[in-house]
Amino acid sequence: MKRPHVLASAAVSIDGFLDDASPQRLVLSGPADLDRVDAERASVDAILVGAGTVRADDPRLLVRSPDRRADRVERGLGPSPLRVVLSSQAVDPGARVLTEGRDVADTVVLAGTPHEVLDHLAGHGVVRLMVEGGAGVHREFLGAGVVDELQLAVAPRLVGDGPRFTGAPDEAHLVEARTVGPDVLLRYRFGDADARWLGEACSLAERCPPSPSAFSVGCVVVAADGTVLATGHSRRDDVLDHAEEVALRDVDRADPRLPGATIYTSLEPCGQRASRPVTCAQHILDAGIGRVVMAWREPPLFVGTPSGAARLEAAGVEVVECPGFEDLARRPNRHR
Ligand SMILES: NC(=O)c1ccc[n+]([C@@H]2O[C@H](COP(=O)([O-])OP(=O)(O)OC[C@H]3O[C@@H](n4cnc5c(N)ncnc54)[C@H](OP(=O)(O)O)[C@@H]3O)[C@@H](O)[C@H]2O)c1
Ligand SMILES: [Zn+2]
């Protein structure tokens, strides 16, 4: 069984603290970032924290937004993800993670190494896991090399003393840096280049507006030197949009980096479509991109016609199907 994709998320002060030394809970990031984290929570199958965080902050670990809960239900999921507490002992039965929100999410208490915990969760159908801390759990998961993506919100605060954000991960690769209200969101990926970018494409698929009938796909176009040239996801600008089509809409067709670039996509590019005249395979050929890495092959819709991958290969494009990503790519398509 493939271990879950692990998204570690934390808010830190400029000087790298997760909290101050006082007993009260310190909320570091602003309302806009808390809402962004809520959207990430809604995109995963389970949220994990250590018992230290339950003792210090007593969080509920629920999706707050009613719209996001409703979207999850529409996608055949529970309103809020499974809640996982790591502890070697019994958790205080009065903790809010156990007493609140039981109608929208279950809570489990687990112990074990990060690998054992991830294997256990995979066995329970968890494909995407969000690790929300605290200091000990982040250090343990980063140190074990099991984190695929790290989202760090840096708040404009100098705390001076308290639990620190630390770990000994592999080299982190920055995929996004942007302001969210007064905070700065830094998104990093770990792992080898193809896995890193395909993971990014699968994360982008989680941003697709829900659709009862169309696929939710994400893609990223990356130059040979690792520069992101464009990203896309299904229905980004219009209800008929395909992910590859919107990404390629954003690239300059004269860019000399395109022949050496790779397009990473969570689903095989379409080779037949009814919604618009130009297929994504054709868009890729028109852009002159030489390499396609995909997570999941499209179930055949039109028997007897060449698939997108076959069309691309026939035109000399290298097509790679990256093993181990199918569950992640299928996740936003669960209702299908
Ligand atoms: N800024 C942020 O984003 C953020 C987010 C979360 C938390 N925090 C802060 O982080 C601080 C808490 O961090 P922390 O390091 O004290 O606690 P923690 O990392 O939340 O939890 C550590 C505890 O988790 C349990 N644990 C960890 N790994 C385990 C494993 N593999 N198997 C079984 N149990 C395991 C142990 O609990 P037992 O002792 O029960 O065995 C351990 O003592 C608080 O100050 C909180 O405010 C900040
Ligand atoms: Zn398409």
Side-chain angles (χ1 to χ4, degrees), residues 238-263:
D238 180 274
V239 69
L240 295 180
D241 281 341
H242 286 191
E244 303 92 318
E245 169 177 53
V246 287
L248 294 173
R249 198 180 283 159
D250 290 348
V251 302
D252 173 4
R253 294 295 167 102
D255 191 324
R257 294 171 295 183
L258 284 176
T262 298
I263 184 164

Side-chain angles (χ1 to χ4, degrees), residues 3-4 86 110-123 141 146:
R3 71 167 176 77
L86 281 193
L110 297 178
T113 66
H115 285 280
E116 286 165 353
V117 167
L118 292 174
D119 285 347
H120 181 87
L121 292 174
F141 276 66
V146 298

Side-chain angles (χ1 to χ4, degrees), residues 155-170:
R157 302 279 294 268
L158 287 163
V159 164
D161 190 19
R164 258 188 194 280
F165 182 75
T166 56
D170 306 331

Side-chain angles (χ1 to χ4, degrees), residues 11 18-19 50-53 55 57 86-89 112 132 134-137 140:
L18 289 160
D19 191 6
T53 296
R55 290 190 284 260
D57 298 346
L86 281 193
S87 185
S88 59
Q89 4 169 356
E132 291 209 42
V137 164
E140 196 178 338

